[in-house]
Amino acid sequence: MPRPLVVGNGRLLINFDDRLHMRDLYYPYVGQLNHVGGHFSKLGIWASGRFSWLDEEGWKRTLGYSKESLVTDVYAQHEGLGLSLRIADGVHQRDPIYLKQIRVRNLTSEHREVRVFFNHDLSINETEVGDTAVFDPMLNAVYHYKRNVYIMVNGRTPEGGIDQYSVGIKRFNYAEGTWRDAEDGILSGNPIAQGSVDSTISFRLMLGPQEEKSLEYWLCIGDSYDAVKSLNQYVLESDPQRLLNRVGVYWQRWVNKEERDFADLSPEVVELYKTSLLLVRTQIDQNGAILAANDSDILQFNRDHYSYMWPRDGALIACAMAKAGYTATVAPFFHFCADALNDDGYLLHKYNPDGSVGSSWHPYIVDGEMQLPIQEDETALVLHALWEQYKSGKQLEDCQALYPTLVRPAARFLLQYIEPAYQLPRPSYDLWEERRGIFTFTSATVFAGLKAAARFAQLFGDDRRYKRYDEGAERIREAMLSHLYDPEIGRFLRGIYIRQDGHVEKDFTVESSLFSIFAFGVLPVDDPRVTSTMEAVKRSLRVDTEIGGFARYQGDYYFKKSHDTARVPGNPWIICTLWVADWEIAKAKSLDELQEPKSRLSWVVRHALQSGVLSEQLDPFTGAPVSVAPLTWSHATYVATVLRYLEKVKELQ
């Protein structure tokens, strides 16, 4: 399921799996539409009469990125074929162009012909119906098209351009696809096919003993034939290798634009910090949507995916990126949210990258009673994140423009959506989207959202609203201490449920999201009520296996791997483990006390994929990634925790 290699530019996103298949190609939005859809676009090699796809046994593959860059650095070697490949992939930093260089080395002492085959299993606009694939002899290129999406493939070696081609039918009437045509090293040359189609092209290299030569290959994506023809010409005139080098330089400059002292953090921790910044960037659409994840294999489990913008995830990711110095990168997110805001001032469950409302399982009616199908923390956290954005970038004009369109209507909703008898936010769904009630996490975010709105009102001289928002936040703080802190158990509850007969049911489940009490400023980190709550989190959610880490909450069932809840309360989550580290950092009073959270950063490094990609959660016994990877929230939380650690080191020094 994981996608260990991800390249993109905010318009075009391409994912590869660990067998070097292209599995996802999203355009014109990051996360929408997927023109590969999880199928296997493959790379194959023919040499000395023998053929092998790179997903077959016999290949040793090492996957990674070139230093501080969104250009991949992949090594593959096949002893039986006597060949090694050094592969670099990147997406142009501005245009929808994917570039690939393969340096092929002949490991034998013989002169040899080597043929490299590329198969393209595309489903344009996420359906195989009505596609066309055609060989264009004027450009010596192959392109696929349907309506307003054109994908052109081309390439060259020192021996010339495309040497062989074939287009044909796939997965229909017993036709497997043109990839089968490649396995004898010779393509049939069929020039066109329509319906459910694929294409395969090959390139020829003549290699002397121990000689290495390069192959350049590229995809151009656009809304018309003329658009992709123009991009193809741009690649040829600019030289594809030079373009790929420029892509690498651009991302190196981008990820190092902020000079930062990394104190005593190890090179591996710092490397993952920079990799995380880069990977987060690939998941942000140029129009503002911050996507949760774009690993289409999750479709196997629930016929839906993570290629949505959850306002909560987006807000917390925007906080991390703003603190890291990338305010311009996430600024469009807040305008996206302002446009998406309901007339009553709240955000819905999730959104598609184009701004339309995403799928949901939250109903408007339960047991005959009307309700808002929302997670209120999603609205509140956007206001909190906007204030963090302002603190980091001091973009006064941008925030002033958002004050009447986002801040004021959202704050008005937060003030009104209150349970009168408790002065807490009315019931909504929790941050995990699993239950409806009044939760500590949600209440803490509403407190933070109203405090942010109050600060904006004060900043803009709106004294009347400042007082209203600030007093509303303080009422929620007091209500949390009265109703969500339980003195009998000496810690905060996950939440409470108000039943139809008026009875209040307490939820004593220990949950990692209780870090929100100090993280969003409800109470200081050294308050005894915070300490007792977080100690319960560490004690109750620790995963007692060799893998370690912390679970989301007691009895977590999502992708459950063990029924031994005493040892494994749930799978270890990257995010939840880092939340524990955040508390340890915040309460530290000496450099020695920072050693434990520092070790948690190293724990994350150990459980990243070889390429640096972080998953959502881990198998508690093997450490294998579970659910989607990369998860944008995991990478952003890692960035935020590293920054908190560095701030604390500076403070203690």
Side-chain angles (χ1 to χ4, degrees), residues 7 31-32 235 239 246 285 296 300 329 344 383 472 598 607 615:
V7 291
Q32 183 187 349
V235 173
D239 184 84
R246 283 162 52 187
D285 184 78
S296 63
Q300 298 175 29
T329 301
D344 291 325
L383 298 187
K598 181 181 174 183
H607 293 292
S615 61

Side-chain angles (χ1 to χ4, degrees), residues 35-107:
H35 305 289
V36 175
H39 293 299
F40 298 85
S41 290
K42 311 206 293 185
L43 173 62
I45 303 291
W46 178 94
S48 305
R50 183 176 174 183
F51 185 92
S52 177
W53 295 107
L54 259 71
D55 60 1
E56 296 177 357
E57 296 302 319
W59 288 99
K60 296 179 180 179
R61 295 170 289 270
T62 304
L63 281 59
Y65 288 91
S66 60
K67 184 175 176 60
E68 301 174 352
S69 174
L70 274 176
V71 174
T72 69
D73 182 10
V74 174
Y75 182 76
Q77 182 170 324
H78 195 296
E79 293 292 343
L81 286 177
L83 292 172
S84 71
L85 311 178
R86 178 69 72 175
I87 304 172
D89 306 271
V91 166
H92 190 275
Q93 65 271 21
R94 182 188 63 250
D95 294 318
I97 300 169
Y98 161 68
L99 300 154
K100 187 184 201 82
Q101 181 200 44
I102 305 178
R103 301 202 310 269
V104 183
R105 180 174 291 278
N106 176 15
L107 301 178

Side-chain angles (χ1 to χ4, degrees), residues 344-599:
D344 291 325
Y346 59 83
L347 291 163
L348 291 169
H349 184 180
K350 51 190 165 82
Y351 297 86
N352 294 306
D354 64 0
S356 59
V357 176
S359 63
S360 181
W361 53 89
H362 296 163
Y364 278 94
I365 187 166
V366 172
D367 297 329
E369 291 192 2
M370 291 280 291
Q371 64 179 26
L372 285 184
I374 64 169
Q375 300 164 278
E376 192 179 2
D377 65 290
E378 298 205 284
T379 302
L381 280 171
V382 171
L383 298 187
H384 169 72
L386 183 60
W387 182 253
E388 293 299 316
Q389 166 91 340
Y390 171 73
K391 287 196 305 181
S392 298
K394 294 292 189 290
Q395 296 294 323
L396 190 67
E397 294 88 350
D398 207 30
C399 292
Q400 174 64 66
L402 290 165
Y403 184 59
T405 61
L406 176 61
V407 177
R408 282 170 24 201
R412 182 174 63 249
F413 171 77
L414 298 180
L415 280 177
Q416 294 173 350
Y417 198 66
I418 295 294
E419 193 68 35
Y422 298 92
Q423 287 300 299
L424 287 168
R426 291 179 63 188
S428 69
Y429 287 92
D430 70 342
L431 79 159
W432 309 123
E433 312 168 311
E434 295 173 347
R435 56 195 62 80
R436 183 176 175 83
I438 299 173
F439 301 103
T440 295
F441 179 86
T442 304
S443 301
T445 64
V446 173
F447 167 83
L450 285 171
K451 280 291 187 181
R455 293 179 182 115
F456 277 120
Q458 188 177 46
L459 178 69
F460 298 129
D462 192 347
D463 297 335
R464 181 171 55 90
R465 287 190 176 91
Y466 162 73
K467 183 178 180 182
R468 187 189 310 160
Y469 300 156
D470 195 64
E471 289 177 351
E474 291 302 326
R475 285 195 298 272
I476 289 173
R477 187 209 305 266
E478 292 305 315
M480 290 180 69
L481 300 180
S482 297
H483 302 295
L484 293 173
Y485 178 79
D486 191 312
E488 293 185 12
I489 63 172
R491 62 172 174 83
F492 278 86
L493 304 166
R494 172 157 73 179
I496 58 175
Y497 309 99
I498 303 173
R499 301 311 181 191
Q500 287 186 333
D501 60 1
H503 172 70
V504 175
E505 179 184 331
K506 296 180 178 180
D507 188 339
F508 295 99
T509 306
V510 178
E511 180 166 299
S512 59
S513 69
L514 294 173
F515 90 109
S516 58
I517 305 157
F518 76 88
F520 297 126
V522 178
L523 290 174
V525 70
D526 56 0
D527 187 287
R529 290 164 290 191
V530 172
T531 301
S532 60
T533 300
M534 291 306 297
E535 285 178 346
V537 168
K538 284 188 70 172
R539 182 173 59 253
S540 302
L541 299 184
R542 178 182 290 109
V543 176
D544 188 20
T545 66
E546 289 185 4
I547 300 304
F550 291 87
R552 284 197 300 176
Y553 56 81
Q554 291 174 307
D556 186 4
Y557 64 87
Y558 187 52
F559 286 107
K560 186 175 182 177
K561 298 293 183 181
S562 173
H563 295 284
D564 183 0
T565 55
R567 292 183 61 222
V568 185
N571 296 338
W573 279 56
I574 302 290
I575 294 164
C576 303
T577 303
L578 289 168
W579 285 346
V580 170
D582 288 344
W583 173 63
E584 294 167 338
I585 290 166
K587 72 182 182 66
K589 291 182 169 58
S590 69
L591 293 174
D592 285 343
E593 291 180 17
L594 287 177
Q595 294 310 302
E596 190 166 22
K598 181 181 174 183
S599 72

Side-chain angles (χ1 to χ4, degrees), residues 287-290 309-311 314-315 318 329-338 382 385:
N287 295 306
I290 300 176
M309 195 283 284
W310 275 265
T329 301
V330 294
F333 165 76
F334 298 102
H335 294 276
F336 183 105
C337 291
V382 171

Side-chain angles (χ1 to χ4, degrees), residues 632-653:
T632 317
W633 195 3
S634 291
H635 283 284
T637 306
Y638 180 82
V639 166
T641 302
V642 168
L643 293 174
R644 290 188 182 98
Y645 177 90
L646 297 176
E647 289 170 2
K648 194 68 174 189
V649 169
K650 186 176 180 180
E651 174 190 323
L652 293 173
Q653 287 177 337

